[in-house]
Amino acid sequence: MIDLHTHTNESDGSFTPAALIEAAQSISLQALAITDHDTFAGYEKAAPIARAAGFDLVCGIELNSKFLGKNIHLLAYFPLQPPADSFRSWLAGLQASRRDRNARLISRLQSVGVDIELHEVESVGRSLAGRPHFARILVNKGYALSILDAFQKYLSEDAKAYVERDVPPTAEAIEYVLASGGVPVLAHPIRLGKRNLDEEQALIADLHTMGLPGIEAYHSDHGAADSARYLAIAERYRLVVTGGSDFHGDAKPRIQLGTGANQNLSVPEELLQRLREWAGSR
Ligand code: AMP
Ligand code: ZN
Ligand code: FE
Ligand code: FE
């Protein structure tokens, strides 16, 4: 068993990088990728621990992007060598846009009567705070009953404090990942939110035409029929297949490392081998 999609507390997960490696070893995972949102900080903390333990840790990251007005999540894997410096400078721009969004979100929350300061969010958010950190503070301060309630009342796209974030076009993200030795993969395609299967396939075909080489066929939000459909699409367009739980620890308690939601996940080990072969064949 492997898990190629996980988050640490350097983004919006609850496990420290060290605790995540320990958890992966305790369930005998063969390999783990850390794919925090917009940061390598969790991977970088975990890497020496994994190396010392002889554990197979893969460098990854999850990026937001926009295509045709839709939010597209990409995973980027660097399974053979660390990302080129050009990628890190591009990433610094994304991190700046997230910080800028966070500052505007604070002003917006204050304008609807919430007593909250940027430093409070940054102190729980470590290297990169996200909306889940805002949600936790709103709950702690009594503005919301639960994380979900905080999103519904304040933070989700149709809620009263929502602010847009500047995210790169999907084509640009794909290009930067490929140019720096990485493998970009469409994350949790089920969340494309297409009304029918033809529309879904057409969108994936568009992304493939743009240069996207991979798809996350296995994910905690995918049923068996979904995974089978994405595997068929992968075969049709010759896409690299990946899979992972999207583990966030206590931040998403229904999802277990390696096994997903109610044991609905089992990611074949050979996928990592193929991902490495693809990365090495360019
Ligand atoms: P951000 O990247 O800072 O905009 O935050 C997005 C993250 O918030 C996502 O990765 C989800 O984990 C989380 N999220 C988004 N919508 C909800 C929701 N309705 N309830 C709980 N968590 C959410
Ligand atoms: Zn997340
Ligand atoms: Fe995602
Ligand atoms: Fe994720």
Side-chain angles (χ1 to χ4, degrees):
M1 188 168 54
I2 59 174
D3 193 333
L4 300 179
H5 187 162
T6 68
H7 298 270
T8 75
N9 68 342
E10 292 295 333
S11 67
D12 56 355
S14 70
F15 278 42
T16 63
L20 186 57
I21 296 295
E22 195 181 311
Q25 288 183 292
S26 77
I27 59 166
S28 304
L29 278 187
Q30 298 302 304
L32 174 83
I34 291 180
T35 54
D36 277 321
H37 303 277
D38 300 332
T39 176
F40 291 117
Y43 167 78
E44 278 160 359
K45 287 188 174 156
I49 300 166
R51 206 173 305 127
F55 181 79
D56 191 2
L57 176 68
V58 178
C59 177
I61 196 162
E62 184 168 5
L63 305 166
N64 277 18
S65 69
K66 270 236 146 67
F67 177 58
L68 302 176
K70 273 203 79 71
N71 228 313
I72 309 272
H73 287 193
L74 296 176
L75 294 161
Y77 294 103
F78 300 87
L80 296 178
Q81 77 260 331
D85 287 345
S86 57
F87 187 80
R88 289 179 185 270
S89 4
W90 181 74
L91 187 60
L94 301 190
Q95 294 173 341
S97 95
R98 178 177 280 277
R99 294 203 176 90
D100 168 73
R101 188 282 309 264
N102 288 351
R104 286 183 291 114
L105 181 49
I106 289 288
S107 311
R108 188 101 188 98
L109 283 165
Q110 289 170 344
S111 77
V112 298
V114 176
D115 170 27
I116 189 169
E117 300 287 340
L118 189 55
H119 68 83
E120 295 174 76
V121 179
E122 288 182 341
S123 71
V124 293
R126 301 183 66 83
S127 83
L128 264 191
R131 281 182 287 160
H133 302 106
F134 285 79
R136 211 168 304 154
I137 291 172
L138 291 170
V139 172
N140 291 345
K141 290 190 158 187
Y143 291 104
L145 298 172
S146 65
I147 300 286
L148 193 64
D149 190 42
F151 269 90
Q152 280 167 355
K153 277 197 186 120
Y154 295 100
L155 302 172
S156 66
E157 283 184 32
D158 42 16
K160 62 184 165 193
Y162 181 74
V163 294
E164 282 273 353
R165 183 192 154 196
D166 233 13
V167 295
T170 304
E172 178 183 316
I174 292 171
E175 205 173 293
Y176 268 88
V177 174
L178 287 172
S180 52
V183 186
V185 171
L186 174 63
H188 41 63
I190 194 80
R191 290 200 211 147
L192 293 174
K194 285 293 152 196
R195 285 185 302 268
N196 62 60
L197 301 185
D198 288 343
E199 253 184 46
E200 181 186 75
Q201 177 155 320
L203 179 53
I204 296 170
D206 281 350
L207 296 170
H208 176 240
T209 305
M210 242 178 228
L212 186 80
I215 187 168
E216 186 178 47
Y218 302 91
H219 185 273
S220 302
D221 289 353
H222 294 177
D226 300 316
S227 294
R229 187 167 79 249
Y230 299 131
L231 288 171
I233 292 177
E235 192 158 339
R236 173 153 182 192
Y237 297 103
R238 306 247 168 268
L239 300 172
V240 180
V241 172
T242 68
S245 63
D246 213 349
F247 180 71
H248 281 71
D250 304 333
K252 277 188 194 168
R254 79 185 177 90
I255 293 171
Q256 304 293 308
L257 186 64
T259 56
N262 297 316
Q263 318 271 328
N264 70 345
L265 189 76
S266 171
V267 183
E269 283 160 30
E270 63 265 23
L271 296 187
L272 177 55
Q273 186 53 38
R274 289 204 209 115
L275 181 70
R276 289 201 161 111
E277 282 164 14
W278 196 91
S281 70
R282 287 185 301 139

